[in-house]
Amino acid sequence: MGTYISDRIRILVVRRAEHHCEYCQLHEEDSFLGFQVDHIISIKHGGKTDENNLAWSCFACNNNKGSDVGTVLLPDTRFVRLFNPRQDKWEEHFELIECVFYAKSDVGEATIKVLKLNDVERIMERQALL
Ligand SMILES: [Zn+2]
């Protein structure tokens, strides 16, 4: 087990995501950087290398997410978990208007923040793809 991801699981994850990042929705053909299999709940926090805990992710989302599973939305110090592509519906947490992400929930807001979905370079990348 551990972090080893078999070809079978990798193919399942990619097909299930239809080659899109399950966080920011970028298509892998539109990215110069390779996409990665993301552990939704990181191994550090007990997440398993199991198809129900895996998501297809662009480099930026995966890199910014790291081993995080949530954050606080200051000044509130309550823990807010990140979006879970296996359990949550994307449209219930995010809205993409003119290449900018808007949160429809605390989960969406936490994810936009931690994954830096509205970094200027990322907004510009989305605009360039239009
Ligand atoms: Zn992404």
Side-chain angles (χ1 to χ4, degrees):
M1 279 304 282
T3 57
Y4 174 75
I5 295 158
S6 68
D7 287 348
R8 186 190 72 79
I9 295 280
R10 182 178 297 271
I11 289 164
L12 181 154
V13 169
V14 174
R15 284 192 182 149
R16 183 174 59 188
E18 297 178 337
H19 300 267
H20 287 84
C21 172
E22 296 189 74
Y23 297 100
C24 75
Q25 307 272 285
L26 181 68
H27 193 282
E28 67 181 322
E29 281 180 4
D30 294 329
S31 175
F32 293 111
L33 299 166
F35 275 35
Q36 301 168 339
V37 176
D38 168 58
H39 284 78
I40 297 165
I41 304 298
S42 58
I43 292 167
K44 178 180 179 180
H45 291 285
K48 300 277 188 286
T49 303
D50 175 293
E51 62 192 64
N52 298 314
N53 187 46
L54 298 175
W56 197 227
S57 174
C58 73
F59 177 81
C61 285
N62 197 241
N63 196 50
N64 290 327
K65 182 168 172 280
S67 64
D68 290 355
V69 294
T71 186
V72 289
L73 301 171
L74 296 170
D76 196 339
T77 55
R78 176 178 50 95
F79 177 81
V80 180
R81 69 174 176 86
L82 298 179
F83 174 72
N84 183 328
R86 297 283 73 76
Q87 294 174 7
D88 302 323
K89 283 205 172 76
W90 192 92
E91 322 76 62
E92 288 177 4
H93 298 279
F94 307 103
E95 198 165 7
L96 197 49
I97 302 172
E98 291 175 355
C99 302
V100 177
F101 269 83
Y102 292 89
K104 293 166 84 174
S105 68
D106 282 357
V107 164
E109 193 176 339
T111 306
I112 289 167
K113 176 183 146 185
V114 173
L115 275 58
K116 301 182 181 165
L117 295 176
N118 282 332
D119 258 14
V120 175
E121 305 86 70
R122 300 188 73 182
I123 292 171
M124 286 170 61
E125 183 183 23
R126 280 177 216 129
Q127 288 169 338
L129 288 169
L130 284 181

